Amino acid sequence: MTTKSELKKFFENGDVPDQEQFWAWLESYWHKEEMMDAASMQYTNPLPSIYPVGGVPVGTTFDQMPIKDLLDLIFYGKTKRTLTITTTPDDATVKINDVVGNTSNVTIGTTVSYTVERPGYFPKTETVTVTEDMTIAVTLEPDLSNTEITFTVRTTQLNEQVPIALLRTSDTQTLAKINYGDGKEDLVSVPTFNGSQSWTDNEGNIHYVDNGNTFYHIFDNIGDYVVTINAGSNVNYVRFCEGLTSGAGYLSPTINNYVQEISKFRSDSLTNLDFTFAGLSQANVNPSFKLETPQVTSMNATFYGFGVSREFDSFPADMLAQITKPTILLGTFFKAGLKKILPGLLDSFAELVSVFECFKNSKLGKGYYNGITAGNYRDKHSINSSYDFIPVSLFWKNPKLKDVSHCFNYIGEGGFGNLTSGYLAFNIVRRELFWNGKSVGNATGTIENAFYLFAKNNRILCEANFLKYAPNMKHIGGMFTQTNHVSHAISWGGMIPIAKNETTSIRSNDGGQPFEVAGNGLTYDLNVMFPDASYPNILTLNGAFTAAATGATYGFNHDLNYTASASPVTINQSFNAADFLAKFPNAKAGSVNAYAQQMLGQSGGTTDEKNDGRNGVFYLLNQDARITDKATLPALVFNNAIPY
């Protein structure tokens, strides 16, 4: 059809219209002998009708309604049309006029509202007037604001393929956007978590971990790249190492040397941090780094081997402050490279029951006291807990803690530094470390199990009456096994204060005569460590105080004699072992139950001896005269009971 403005141009003054222009004029209008197309004639009136006319109810409005439809409406009433909503993703929920369903039969001319929504996507709400059978395709945009992870990777070769991360969802599907920091990014589909890989811990519990495919990226050039991952609200697991292989105890992570620093880790949907940062041997965290993952319930081996090749000072004190739900920190920092724990690291875990192997085999304390002068170590570090690499307040906000077994087993590679004098420094065990819940109202601690707590630390000194705040303690089997280097000498004439009891210590200043003073001291004398007449709750002493080498200056209770080091201090620390064992009346034949057997894993002794709570308690302490009654003791106390 030719428009009016075009027709007018054919007939301007002086024009001579041709045949085609006349015909165009005739074809643009209805001829009396032609039937008019009722569908092309429309009626519009936004005012609601006030009288019923034929099939038109009161209140009807008209918006460009074809005359044919209007006549049908008058003579036959309103007719129905079908509205269909299709969605991407295809499992999104559709509501039409607040009714769930993706189709609706509505009266022609009706304006309807529809909403399409799905977890992990931005919802869409629109209105439409239905004039015919209609199909509307709606594509939802993914909401990638829930999870944000930022970290730095380092490449050392051209065109190097780098593992980025393994992502999993608890849903059927979700998306993540990965910006690789090199001008490239991908929108990837996140697979469903399947928990295909399992491992069994030392207590026989089975844990499941997804061992599926990792996302990779090829970086063209050598350099450092800041990678950012944004994902939706249904991502529930992230891990950086490519895979996990079965071994003794934990699964072993594939080493990832690419990740250098983690600077952001935020998600409101992640519930599982098992092995998340495991295997990142060269990594550290940003000084202000926090795990912003408040829904996390599981943190098994989370930082296994993290930073072990670079070694680093500590994690931020508030790194875990937003995590409150875990009850067990199983091997959470196993083999990690941290050398110190800052006060407050575990404060948020009010429900914590177990820290089994939490810091085992970590670099905790390694070389920590290197460069400290003998005088400062004597007057400050040895007697003042504020200088410790394990804060005495570590468990003060964990009122329900019961199991600290293996927590500090073989930390610092058994060496905590040499003083400027060349003498050795020690891991110092404080009384109040065992007063869990002190800051939140516990009158004493609730700890019961301390199997192998400080095993293989090699260099240990303790405060007097170190279990004063642990009246519920049941198991100390292997607690100090392989404690070898114990001494108070720290220079040619200097000496760490020797604890006589909780309030009195013996001191000698740079070779002077010893004197007693009020104040803290340290000891490796078992009778000073355990001064009470009885510890009836303790059931296992198996391998608790063993040495790993022979020598007159190795192990608990060897004589203290510093006359050869320009000091007149000599103390005979020999003891009657039968009297000492009598303090533990219930560590006896049959006191090692099945659980304790599993925890101890004893290698030496008969079946009956392994069931005895005294098996191997004094292994290698019978090498000299320090045990005055060794000839009359049951032989089992000298068994090599511990499998190290």
Side-chain angles (χ1 to χ4, degrees):
M1 182 182 71
T2 307
T3 65
K4 281 185 177 181
S5 60
E6 290 174 320
L7 290 172
K8 287 178 179 180
K9 291 179 181 179
F10 298 160
F11 300 99
E12 293 175 343
N13 291 335
D15 288 343
V16 181
D18 58 22
Q19 173 182 301
E20 287 75 16
Q21 291 171 330
F22 273 107
W23 286 11
W25 171 48
L26 292 171
E27 294 295 338
S28 297
Y29 297 95
W30 294 108
H31 196 274
K32 289 182 178 180
E33 66 183 17
E34 293 178 338
M35 293 288 294
M36 293 194 66
D37 183 1
S40 66
M41 300 175 65
Q42 297 178 335
Y43 176 68
T44 297
N45 193 330
L47 296 176
S49 61
I50 58 175
Y51 300 109
V53 179
V56 181
V58 173
T60 302
T61 60
F62 304 93
D63 181 17
Q64 296 182 343
M65 180 177 287
I67 292 297
K68 179 180 183 302
D69 291 343
L70 177 59
L71 294 174
D72 286 343
L73 181 60
I74 293 171
F75 292 115
Y76 303 107
K78 289 197 172 185
T79 58
K80 300 287 187 178
R81 294 291 185 264
T82 300
L83 173 65
T84 302
I85 308 294
T86 63
T87 67
T88 302
D90 58 9
D91 60 347
T93 298
V94 178
K95 291 182 180 179
I96 301 176
N97 286 342
D98 293 326
V99 177
V100 176
N102 67 336
T103 62
S104 180
N105 292 319
V106 298
T107 302
I108 191 168
T110 302
T111 299
V112 300
S113 172
Y114 63 88
T115 299
V116 182
E117 56 190 5
R118 188 188 188 283
Y121 292 80
F122 291 109
K124 279 190 176 180
T125 298
E126 300 286 351
T127 59
V128 63
T129 299
V130 180
T131 59
E132 58 185 343
D133 289 341
M134 304 174 69
T135 298
I136 300 175
V138 178
T139 299
L140 296 181
E141 293 297 321
D143 179 359
L144 305 180
S145 63
N146 177 271
T147 298
E148 180 183 0
I149 302 169
T150 305
F151 55 99
T152 301
V153 299
R154 176 170 296 164
T155 61
T156 57
Q157 302 177 45
L158 297 175
N159 300 315
E160 191 165 12
Q161 179 174 274
V162 175
I164 300 300
L166 179 147
L167 303 174
R168 290 293 180 265
T169 177
S170 57
D171 206 341
T172 54
Q173 63 173 324
T174 194
L175 298 174
K177 182 173 71 174
I178 306 177
N179 185 308
Y180 300 105
D182 60 352
K184 301 175 184 177
E185 65 180 29
D186 284 326
L187 189 65
V188 299
S189 179
V190 178
T192 302
F193 183 89
N194 59 31
S196 59
Q197 189 77 8
S198 66
W199 60 283
T200 304
D201 63 32
N202 289 332
E203 294 182 305
N205 300 310
I206 299 176
H207 306 268
Y208 295 93
V209 180
D210 197 307
N211 205 21
N213 295 328
T214 299
F215 293 114
Y216 294 85
H217 181 66
I218 295 176
F219 291 90
D220 298 336
N221 298 308
I222 296 170
D224 288 0
Y225 298 91
V226 178
V227 179
T228 301
I229 299 174
N230 295 100
S233 61
N234 40 19
V235 169
N236 71 334
Y237 184 60
V238 177
R239 194 182 72 228
F240 289 96
C241 69
E242 294 176 80
L244 300 165
T245 56
S246 297
Y250 302 99
L251 295 171
S252 179
T254 303
I255 300 301
N256 179 327
N257 289 323
Y258 295 103
V259 176
Q260 303 297 305
E261 183 182 82
I262 311 290
S263 53
K264 185 77 172 178
F265 200 88
R266 177 185 61 81
S267 176
D268 290 332
S269 60
L270 283 175
T271 58
N272 184 331
L273 293 181
D274 294 354
F275 292 91
T276 290
F277 304 100
L280 301 185
S281 63
Q282 294 290 343
N284 202 344
V285 298
N286 183 285
S288 60
F289 177 74
K290 294 180 179 64
L291 279 172
E292 300 171 67
T293 53
Q295 302 307 317
V296 162
T297 60
S298 183
M299 294 185 68
N300 298 325
T302 300
F303 290 93
Y304 180 140
F306 183 91
V308 68
S309 295
R310 70 184 297 169
E311 302 179 2
F312 58 97
D313 183 62
S314 61
F315 288 108
D318 59 351
M319 181 180 77
L320 308 177
Q322 295 186 29
I323 303 176
T324 62
K325 296 183 179 183
T327 59
I328 299 173
L329 295 180
L330 177 60
T332 302
F333 301 98
F334 183 71
K335 290 187 176 180
L338 79 163
K339 294 185 176 182
K340 179 182 179 180
I341 303 171
L342 294 181
L345 184 66
L346 304 184
D347 281 2
S348 61
F349 297 96
E351 303 300 316
L352 192 62
V353 173
S354 172
V355 288
F356 190 91
E357 296 186 345
C358 189
F359 297 96
K360 182 180 179 181
N361 288 21
S362 70
K363 301 296 184 181
L364 198 57
K366 180 182 176 182
Y368 183 72
Y369 297 108
N370 282 339
I372 303 298
T373 65
N376 277 337
Y377 191 72
R378 176 193 64 202
D379 298 334
K380 296 179 179 179
H381 298 78
S382 67
I383 59 176
N384 187 334
S385 64
S386 65
Y387 294 95
D388 295 351
F389 56 83
I390 300 173
V392 70
S393 61
L394 183 61
F395 305 129
W396 283 6
K397 291 192 176 180
N398 312 131
K400 300 179 181 180
L401 188 63
K402 292 186 179 298
D403 194 347
V404 295
S405 299
H406 289 277
C407 187
F408 306 112
N409 187 335
Y410 192 54
I411 56 173
E413 299 179 358
F416 308 108
N418 291 344
L419 308 179
T420 55
S421 61
Y423 282 64
L424 304 177
F426 299 88
N427 180 16
I428 299 167
V429 179
R430 309 283 184 187
R431 283 184 296 275
E432 292 192 354
L433 179 67
F434 295 89
W435 193 351
N436 68 288
K438 176 184 177 182
S439 296
V440 290
N442 280 11
T444 61
T446 59
I447 296 171
E448 297 179 359
N449 301 331
F451 295 104
Y452 296 100
L453 175 57
F454 298 105
K456 299 175 72 174
N457 274 209
N458 191 26
R459 308 173 184 181
I460 285 281
L461 287 174
C462 297
E463 289 185 337
N465 196 12
F466 81 105
L467 288 185
K468 177 179 180 178
Y469 300 107
N472 300 313
M473 188 68 77
K474 294 180 180 179
H475 300 288
I476 62 172
M479 188 177 199
F480 295 109
T481 192
Q482 294 196 9
T483 296
N484 300 324
H485 299 284
V486 282
S487 172
H488 290 273
I490 50 172
S491 66
W492 182 245
M495 182 186 79
I496 295 171
I498 302 167
K500 187 174 182 180
N501 52 47
E502 288 183 54
T503 59
T504 307
S505 62
I506 300 170
R507 303 194 179 193
S508 172
N509 293 329
D510 298 326
Q513 290 293 325
F515 56 94
E516 289 188 10
V517 296
N520 198 17
L522 303 177
T523 186
Y524 57 94
D525 184 333
L526 293 176
N527 280 314
V528 179
M529 292 167 58
F530 297 90
D532 291 355
S534 182
Y535 296 86
N537 290 328
I538 291 180
L539 304 176
T540 62
L541 299 169
N542 308 60
F545 312 116
T546 71
T550 58
T553 59
Y554 280 10
F556 290 95
N557 284 83
H558 67 74
D559 282 348
L560 191 156
N561 185 341
Y562 299 140
T563 55
S565 301
S567 175
V569 179
T570 60
I571 298 177
N572 180 358
Q573 297 189 129
S574 61
F575 69 110
N576 183 289
D579 289 344
F580 178 75
L581 292 174
K583 296 183 177 187
F584 307 92
N586 293 313
K588 59 185 180 180
S591 68
V592 184
N593 60 21
Y595 172 73
Q597 289 282 11
Q598 184 180 19
M599 290 296 99
L600 289 166
Q602 299 171 93
S603 57
T606 65
T607 298
D608 286 343
E609 288 172 337
K610 291 177 181 178
N611 288 328
D612 194 305
R614 302 165 296 171
N615 189 37
V617 59
F618 298 133
Y619 176 64
L620 287 187
L621 297 189
N622 60 340
Q623 56 191 285
D624 49 33
R626 74 186 75 177
I627 298 179
T628 59
D629 59 337
K630 63 182 180 181
T632 59
L633 292 173
L636 65 85
V637 301
F638 299 117
N639 281 342
N640 183 11
I642 300 306
Y644 284 154

